[in-house]
């Protein structure tokens, strides 16, 4: 019990520093945020900050890593093969609802990281997480067909489209509930997959015309 009290205090302090950092990032660039700015806004002393972090960039790095890990755990639950089933039933897919709820719970953090003062680091790392948990897994499910170049660019299009949806949702203040957003995403994804499938089929037919089997 005695150990739980300091642990709780540490978690509370770290959360306060994290929330304050993202609050400041919504106001100005990271390069212009000092430890003095941060600790004064959080009403903490500098010594408390240095107990946990080396500098502002260490604070950002640790929190980005934690957030990406949480996102990765949710993405692992998503199975695109059931999208059609949920779309036909007009029901929200639970793992996607969980993903949008996570984004909503971290709205201020993600707004700061994906906003003009966040740079491209978080977006690039988010793209990598989605690739690892979705694109590469999807390639295995598809049996890694010979059209690898098309698949690579197609899934890049899907991933950036997903990030665009999230960013647009943030800019609207996440006004649409997560359950509705989960349904919207499935409809958009299915249209994309259908278009991709038709393009692959068309490309295969064109290749056959150019290089007919003998």
């Amino acid at each position: 019990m005695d150990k739980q009290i300091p642990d709780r205090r540490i978690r509370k302090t770290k959360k306060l520093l994290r929330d304050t950092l993202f609050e400041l990032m919504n106001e100005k660039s990271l390069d212009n945020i000092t430890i003095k700015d941060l600790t004064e806004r959080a009403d903490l002393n500098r010594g408390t900050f240095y107990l946990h972090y080396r500098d502002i960039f260490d604070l950002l790095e640790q929190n980005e890593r934690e957030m990406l890990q949480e996102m990765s755990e949710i993405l692992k639950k998503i199975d695109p093969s059931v999208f059609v089933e949920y779309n036909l039933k007009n029901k929200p897919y639970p793992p996607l609802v969980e993903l949008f709820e996570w984004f909503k719970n971290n709205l201020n953090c993600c707004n700061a990281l994906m906003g003009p003062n966040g740079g491209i680091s978080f977006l690039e790392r988010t793209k990598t997480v989605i690739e690892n948990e979705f694109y590469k897994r999807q390639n295995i499910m598809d049996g890694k067909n010979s059209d690898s170049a098309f698949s690579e660019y197609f899934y890049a299009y899907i991933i950036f489209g997903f990030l665009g949806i999230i960013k647009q949702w943030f800019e609207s203040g996440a006004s649409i509930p997560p359950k509705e957003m989960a349904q919207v995403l499935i409809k958009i994804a299915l249209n994309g997959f259908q278009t991709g499938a038709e393009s692959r089929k068309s490309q295969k037919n064109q290749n056959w015309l150019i290089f007919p089997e003998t």
Side-chain angles (χ1 to χ4, degrees):
M1 178 65 75
D2 289 341
K3 184 178 182 299
Q4 290 179 355
I5 294 174
D7 283 350
R8 196 181 305 123
R9 286 174 181 163
I10 290 171
R11 287 196 301 271
K12 186 177 179 180
T13 299
K14 284 187 168 184
K15 184 179 184 305
L16 178 58
L17 288 168
R18 182 196 71 174
D19 292 347
T20 305
L21 173 64
F22 292 134
E23 183 182 311
L24 287 167
M25 284 178 67
N26 279 313
E27 299 173 8
K28 53 187 177 180
S29 69
L30 189 67
D31 290 336
N32 292 324
I33 298 172
T34 65
I35 293 173
K36 182 181 179 183
D37 293 334
L38 186 71
T39 52
E40 284 185 355
R41 179 75 66 92
D43 196 22
L44 295 170
N45 61 58
R46 293 168 66 95
T48 300
F49 176 89
Y50 286 116
L51 282 174
H52 308 292
Y53 307 104
R54 295 189 306 274
D55 51 33
I56 294 288
F57 296 99
D58 185 37
L59 167 61
L60 179 63
E61 170 69 23
Q62 288 192 39
N63 280 285
E64 275 192 1
R65 190 165 57 243
E66 289 172 10
M67 290 174 67
L68 290 167
Q69 181 59 41
E70 290 172 6
M71 190 193 306
S72 175
E73 292 303 316
I74 299 172
L75 287 167
K76 285 176 182 176
K77 303 175 187 177
I78 296 175
D79 179 5
S81 69
V82 302
F83 282 7
V84 172
E85 176 188 344
Y86 277 86
N87 188 51
L88 289 173
K89 293 178 180 177
N90 199 29
K91 288 184 176 180
Y93 180 41
L96 280 179
V97 175
E98 184 182 354
L99 181 62
F100 277 101
E101 285 176 343
W102 181 85
F103 275 116
K104 188 163 187 174
N105 291 336
N106 291 278
L107 184 62
N108 288 337
C109 306
C110 293
N111 252 335
L113 291 168
M114 293 184 179
N117 295 323
I120 64 169
S121 170
F122 185 72
L123 279 172
E124 285 296 324
R125 293 170 72 180
T126 300
K127 175 179 173 288
T128 300
V129 167
I130 297 172
E131 284 176 340
N132 289 339
E133 300 301 342
F134 177 68
Y135 166 57
K136 290 179 181 177
R137 178 154 47 95
Q138 190 68 21
N139 265 354
I140 294 171
M141 290 168 61
D142 290 344
K144 285 200 169 184
N145 59 49
S146 58
D147 196 7
S148 59
F150 179 88
S151 294
E152 181 180 349
Y153 284 98
F154 172 67
Y155 281 107
Y157 162 77
I158 291 291
I159 290 166
F160 279 112
F162 168 71
L163 292 174
I165 290 169
I166 294 296
K167 203 166 186 309
Q168 180 65 32
W169 188 52
F170 286 163
E171 289 175 2
S172 73
S175 56
I176 300 175
K179 285 185 178 181
E180 289 184 34
M181 284 305 301
Q183 290 176 286
V184 167
L185 183 61
I186 278 186
K187 290 181 188 300
I188 293 173
L190 288 176
N191 284 334
F193 291 140
Q194 183 178 2
T195 301
E198 289 172 355
S199 297
R200 281 194 292 267
K201 183 178 179 182
S202 173
Q203 189 178 52
K204 189 176 290 184
N205 290 339
Q206 289 171 12
N207 288 341
W208 184 85
L209 290 171
I210 299 169
F211 303 107
E213 293 179 358
T214 57

